[in-house]
Structures are given as C-alpha cells and as structure tokens.
Amino acid sequence: MSQSTGHIVVSVEYRLAPEYRFPTALMDCYAAAKALYTNKLILNTDPRKITIMGDSAGGNLAAAVALMARYNGEFQVYRQILIYPALYNTYTTASPPYASVQKNGTDYLRTAVKMQDYLNLYESCPEDRVNPYFAPLLARDFSNMPETLILTAEFDPLRDEGEDYGKKLAEAGNYVEVHR
C-alpha cells in the first residue's frame, strides 16, 4: 500500500480478543492514532494528510477512533476509509432492517453466525453492545466527523450497515462517499 500510494503506512498491532476484550483493541488504536496525530510517533506529520482506515473489524475500530477523537478533543481525524466495516451490535435474526445480514449471512464465507460469535468474543459484558465505541452505528451524534470513504460488497452481510453509516454521516453534514 505504501508503494502504491507514496505515503507512509502505519499498521497498528492491536491486542486481539478473546484474550483482550473490548475496549482494549480500541484503546490500542486510539493511542497509536493520538501518537501519530500529535507528532509523537513520526515527527512533522501533517494531520490533514493522515487517513485512518480499516476493513471489517478494523473498519469498526477506525470509525470508533474517529468518534472517540471527536468526543475527547485530543486530536482531529480528517479522513477515514472504512472497507466493509462491522458497525452494529448484533447479527442474529433480531438484526434491524439490514437485509444483507439475512440475505448474505448464510451461504458465504462471512456468515451471520460467525459475525455473532466474533461479537461474543469481543465484548467484555452485555452492556458493551450499547456503547457507540463498540457499535458506531449507535452514536447519537454524527456531526463533525472526518471525510469518509466507505466501500461495501454486494454479497457481504455487512453491506447494509456500512451504507447506513454513510447515510447517517451524510445526513449530519459530513462529506461521504459510499461505493458498493
């Protein structure tokens, strides 16, 4: 990626569940982002040229870092790329109107059952499920978020929640592009 874009790439080696449950991975990613945005990791970095990104669970973490940064005010995320991000808190038949979970969650590699298992391994307690840093789609305020590119896949169970997140960001006045 660095060669293709001509930019420095920093990959965060965050601690993984189930050994380290929520919010450990998020706090690892937040600490790395804070160090990068405040020039403690790479000196003379222009924060406006930094893009945070992640796919699937990494997309969840990137979105949560942007939310947390806006809330804490310690640094500002200007751009994010979320690739088929996991942004909600359930993948059962009780999932909200995300038809992609029901339609694409059984016959493909990433099934709704596996996604639900991942959430079970990630949460520290049931209350985590209503935390917007656990499930960014649950945020109450989507204003003042970074410019966002969201990439979804047609036959992915995460498709609809990624597109819904893009819609919520756009409705709050943010610049967003969503591509399926």
Side-chain angles (χ1 to χ4, degrees), residues 53-64 80-91 98 100-101 110 115 119 134-137 148-153 156-167 169 176-180:
M53 67 182 293
D55 63 290
S56 193
N60 168 289
L61 291 169
Q80 66 180 344
I81 299 173
L82 310 176
I83 305 168
Y84 47 86
L87 300 167
Y88 200 61
N89 65 1
T90 185
Y91 297 99
Y98 296 133
S100 62
V101 172
R110 185 192 338 255
M115 294 300 297
L119 289 181
F134 184 93
L137 268 165
T148 303
L149 171 62
I150 298 174
L151 304 175
T152 63
D156 190 330
L158 300 175
R159 179 195 69 212
D160 293 348
E161 66 191 77
E163 293 172 6
D164 188 28
Y165 194 68
K167 180 180 174 191
L169 289 173
V176 181
E177 285 188 31
V178 178
H179 297 276
R180 181 185 298 181

Side-chain angles (χ1 to χ4, degrees), residues 12 51 54 65 73 77 87 90 107 116 121 123 135 137 166-167 170 172 177:
V12 178
T51 302
V65 164
V77 176
L87 300 167
T90 185
D107 297 330
Q116 191 64 32
L121 293 171
E123 73 179 9
L137 268 165
K167 180 180 174 191
E177 285 188 31

Side-chain angles (χ1 to χ4, degrees), residues 110-122:
R110 185 192 338 255
T111 66
V113 170
K114 284 183 185 177
M115 294 300 297
Q116 191 64 32
D117 288 344
Y118 300 150
L119 289 181
N120 291 339
L121 293 171
Y122 184 47

Side-chain angles (χ1 to χ4, degrees), residues 33-159:
K34 181 179 174 185
L36 188 60
Y37 278 90
T38 59
N39 284 302
K40 291 184 174 70
L41 184 62
I42 300 172
L43 296 180
N44 301 317
T45 303
D46 180 355
R48 293 182 184 276
K49 293 184 178 180
I50 299 170
T51 302
I52 62 171
M53 67 182 293
D55 63 290
S56 193
N60 168 289
L61 291 169
V65 164
L67 282 168
M68 186 176 278
R70 183 200 61 191
Y71 179 78
N72 290 345
E74 295 179 303
F75 62 93
Q76 181 176 351
V77 176
Y78 292 94
R79 299 183 303 202
Q80 66 180 344
I81 299 173
L82 310 176
I83 305 168
Y84 47 86
L87 300 167
Y88 200 61
N89 65 1
T90 185
Y91 297 99
T92 66
T93 54
S95 293
Y98 296 133
S100 62
V101 172
Q102 274 66 39
K103 185 176 180 185
N104 303 319
T106 57
D107 297 330
Y108 300 99
L109 182 61
R110 185 192 338 255
T111 66
V113 170
K114 284 183 185 177
M115 294 300 297
Q116 191 64 32
D117 288 344
Y118 300 150
L119 289 181
N120 291 339
L121 293 171
Y122 184 47
E123 73 179 9
S124 295
C125 62
E127 292 77 27
D128 290 343
R129 299 282 180 123
V130 296
N131 186 326
Y133 298 139
F134 184 93
L137 268 165
L138 300 178
R140 293 178 186 204
D141 178 11
F142 293 93
S143 64
N144 300 311
M145 293 297 290
E147 291 183 3
T148 303
L149 171 62
I150 298 174
L151 304 175
T152 63
E154 184 174 356
F155 298 112
D156 190 330
L158 300 175
R159 179 195 69 212

